[in-house]
Amino acid sequence: MNAQELRGSYWIETAPDGAPAPPPDADVSVDVAVVGGGIAGLSTAWELVRRGREVAVLEAGRLAAGVTGHTTAKLTALHTLVYDHLRRTRGREGARLYAESQSTAIRRAAEIVSDLGIDCEWEEAAACTYAERPEHVGQLRAEAEAAREAGLPAEFVTGTELPYPVAGAVRVTGQAQFHPVKYLRALAEDLRRHGGAVYEGTRVTGLSEGEPCVLSTDVGATVRAREVVVATHYPVFDRALLFTRLSPRRELVVAGTLDADRAPRDMYITPEQNTRSVRSAPQPDGTRLLVVTGEHFTPGTADVEERFARLTAWADSRFAGLTVTHRWATQDNDSTDSVPLVGPLHPGSRHTYVATGFGGWGLSGGIMAGGLISDLVEGRESEWAGLYDPRRLASVVREGGAFLKHQAQVARHFVGDRLAAVRAPAPEDLAPGDGAVVRMGGHPCAVHRDDSGQLHAVSAHCTHLGCLVAFNRAEQAWECPCHGSRFAPDGRILQGPAVRPLEKRDMEATGSGRSDTGTRNHP
């Protein structure tokens, strides 16, 4: 099966596809408006509706079809090698609060699945962080000790069920895996049954804070709310300049059928080899779906086809009998101090909240955020609010190296992509399905040739903060390497923080020329 025949996200493909919830046809007034219909947004909205609040969810696309619909769907408090790091940077108490908050999220999800009777292929499993190279065993032992001190049932082991040897692993029992889209669709249905409103195809484009707050949308409707929660994965409104503390990264996923007796039942991840994450899920015919993730990179900076091939080859070589049927990609945001940003949107915020920076662990993090933000909206104290508070400064100072490195990378793209003299084809030389940033009429334009041979041009400047986009041929998308916005070849927004599409350009009016920007990354 070649790349063109492989299907996309298994979770989206196999979830019940209900009728889209239409955008609002008039102005809306509610207690709380939640911007974003992924795990963090829907978890927050559901918790608040259950507490008697009038809530509206505003989603630019379809519910759970963004980052949550492209996850590997592991629900665990073991986040690779986080606890030894937290013990050193936030103290033992910080590590304990992190473990407690993430474990509480897993228990909360289990309660919801049981109480609502959600058929989402829920399975309890152990989570393991492993290494194949002996020189990394010391890190694993330290992580097992730190995780155990933080309250997790963690142990260091030297054997696993994987069909290849490992030097060691941290193993934590009592974690879970599930079908995330089935879970969230059921959550949304229950939210509606209890009076909550859901609006799909509704992109929020403006926020005026006040009493009430006022949201503007691309469908013309205005939403007034006493409280606003920005749960768009990467904040589309950034009054606190959180983009300076977030690094976007894209990660690839391949999945395929494996006989049940060959598939691992626990969940595995290693930071080696540019990350390899492995877990399996049940399929109706009794086989298992093996889900393999890895090859992370900054959006707009990699040969994605080559990386997909590398990940597929790794999966084939490690799991005999695997038939790859799906491939997709997901996107995460890492905070510079390794802890998500959940709480008030900015230092002066009274009625606006944000949830972001989950660092690849958005399922437990998003459910945690739903409970934490609901407590904040209700005026309740939360033991771990301080750990996740976006207004924290001490940890940013402590981890200033990561902060400065991120800013240097953004500056390199913002300036360097304009100055680099990397040779790229003229528009007439582009192959079908390819794209490149070329100089036309003195301006950088993002030019794409579709499968029929037609050329399409849009502005190459990301509408978020003006960085130049680059073309991802494997996923047919323009990507911003600075803050992770993604656009379709015709300029439509695929992923924020941008809230406006790339402007269309007239090929004949602007003329064409060779690129001097170096933003064609995928031959």
Side-chain angles (χ1 to χ4, degrees):
M1 183 177 291
N2 60 40
Q4 285 71 35
E5 295 172 327
L6 293 174
R7 281 120 64 192
S9 167
Y10 176 84
W11 315 123
I12 293 175
E13 176 189 80
T14 57
D17 188 20
D25 56 8
D27 291 349
V28 175
S29 293
V30 290
D31 294 332
V32 185
V34 177
V35 186
I39 187 76
L42 282 174
S43 294
T44 304
W46 186 85
E47 294 284 359
L48 286 167
V49 164
R50 284 299 187 114
R51 299 182 190 193
R53 293 295 185 111
E54 188 178 14
V55 180
V57 177
L58 307 166
E59 166 56 42
R62 295 296 309 274
L63 294 178
V67 173
T68 304
H70 293 82
T71 180
T72 50
K74 297 190 295 183
L75 192 55
T76 172
L78 182 66
H79 297 169
T80 315
L81 297 172
V82 73
Y83 289 101
D84 186 44
H85 174 78
L86 288 175
R87 181 172 60 174
R88 287 183 279 107
T89 60
R90 307 297 286 271
R92 284 181 168 81
E93 179 64 5
R96 183 191 70 80
L97 290 173
Y98 189 93
E100 182 180 317
S101 61
Q102 300 293 324
S103 297
T104 298
I106 298 169
R107 291 193 297 271
R108 182 57 168 159
E111 291 171 0
I112 292 171
V113 169
S114 176
D115 291 348
L116 300 186
I118 301 175
D119 180 10
C120 62
E121 297 154 26
W122 183 276
E123 295 181 328
E124 185 173 307
C128 301
T129 299
Y130 73 91
E132 296 182 60
R133 295 162 58 182
E135 59 265 36
H136 293 151
V137 166
Q139 286 180 290
L140 295 174
R141 289 187 181 278
E143 182 67 13
E145 178 186 276
R148 197 162 48 248
E149 283 183 358
L152 297 181
E155 60 178 336
F156 174 80
V157 298
T158 55
T160 71
E161 61 177 327
L162 292 172
Y164 49 89
V166 303
V170 183
R171 188 171 191 267
V172 175
T173 57
Q175 312 302 288
Q177 53 191 11
F178 68 148
H179 192 304
V181 179
K182 288 182 179 179
Y183 173 83
L184 284 187
R185 295 268 174 88
L187 210 63
E189 289 177 10
D190 189 72
L191 183 150
R192 290 190 188 98
R193 282 195 295 269
H194 287 82
V198 174
Y199 302 106
E200 294 179 302
T202 306
R203 186 176 299 279
V204 175
T205 57
L207 165 63
S208 175
E209 295 184 60
E211 298 183 0
C213 297
V214 179
L215 295 167
S216 55
T217 70
D218 65 350
V219 297
T222 296
V223 179
R224 290 176 171 80
R226 296 176 188 171
E227 321 281 343
V228 171
V229 180
V230 180
T232 53
H233 188 60
Y234 198 113
V236 292
F237 307 114
D238 204 355
R239 310 291 162 83
L241 302 181
L242 295 182
F243 65 83
T244 64
R245 296 159 60 188
L246 294 171
S247 299
R249 69 176 153 91
R250 200 142 182 84
E251 200 153 21
L252 306 183
V253 185
V254 296
T257 298
L258 199 62
D259 289 343
D261 59 356
R262 293 174 179 257
R265 295 305 177 98
D266 289 337
M267 306 174 289
Y268 297 88
I269 189 168
T270 176
E272 295 176 344
Q273 304 174 75
N274 198 18
T275 306
R276 292 292 184 265
S277 171
V278 176
R279 75 95 152 181
S280 72
Q283 298 194 105
D285 63 359
T287 61
R288 303 281 294 185
L289 180 82
L290 187 77
V291 183
V292 179
T293 309
E295 293 298 322
H296 64 80
F297 59 92
T298 300
T301 66
D303 185 329
V304 182
E305 285 287 7
E306 179 183 327
R307 288 177 181 265
F308 264 125
R310 193 182 304 159
L311 189 63
T312 301
W314 184 90
D316 285 338
S317 69
R318 298 303 178 95
F319 295 92
L322 175 67
T323 302
V324 174
T325 55
H326 296 74
R327 78 175 195 178
W328 67 88
T330 189
Q331 193 156 309
D332 294 302
N333 296 308
D334 299 311
S335 71
T336 53
D337 67 355
S338 305
V339 175
L341 304 160
V342 181
L345 180 60
H346 57 81
S349 175
R350 296 180 58 196
H351 302 288
T352 53
Y353 306 87
V354 68
T356 187
F358 295 112
W361 303 101
L363 293 184
S364 62
I367 296 167
M368 176 280 297
L372 175 54
I373 292 177
S374 296
D375 283 345
L376 294 175
V377 168
E378 294 277 282
R380 301 180 184 180
E381 291 187 6
S382 171
E383 185 181 7
W384 46 77
L387 176 69
Y388 295 104
D389 195 329
R391 301 167 298 182
R392 62 186 185 260
L393 294 176
S395 61
V396 176
V397 173
R398 271 197 305 270
E399 309 222 4
F403 176 83
L404 293 174
K405 180 181 178 181
H406 170 54
Q407 294 314 302
Q409 290 174 338
V410 171
R412 177 170 58 83
H413 287 298
F414 195 85
V415 177
D417 288 350
R418 289 161 168 76
L419 300 177
V422 178
R423 186 176 179 82
E428 57 269 21
D429 296 330
L430 288 173
D434 207 354
V437 173
V438 302
R439 187 131 331 238
M440 292 168 41
H443 302 284
C445 292
V447 180
H448 171 257
R449 187 183 294 278
D450 64 26
D451 290 338
S452 70
Q454 185 71 32
L455 287 172
H456 305 273
V458 293
S459 170
H461 290 284
C462 176
T463 55
H464 176 229
L465 289 178
C467 291
L468 293 186
V469 298
F471 194 64
N472 177 338
R473 179 183 173 90
E475 298 182 76
Q476 292 291 290
W478 296 107
E479 298 178 338
C480 175
C482 291
H483 306 107
S485 294
R486 303 178 69 249
F487 306 86
D490 63 3
R492 288 177 294 109
I493 300 170
L494 298 176
Q495 192 158 357
V499 296
R500 291 180 292 111
L502 298 176
E503 296 180 4
K504 294 188 182 298
R505 293 287 185 261
D506 188 330
M507 292 285 296
E508 295 182 1
T510 57
S512 66
R514 291 193 175 275
S515 168
D516 57 4
T517 62
T519 53
R520 179 182 184 268
N521 294 299
H522 315 299

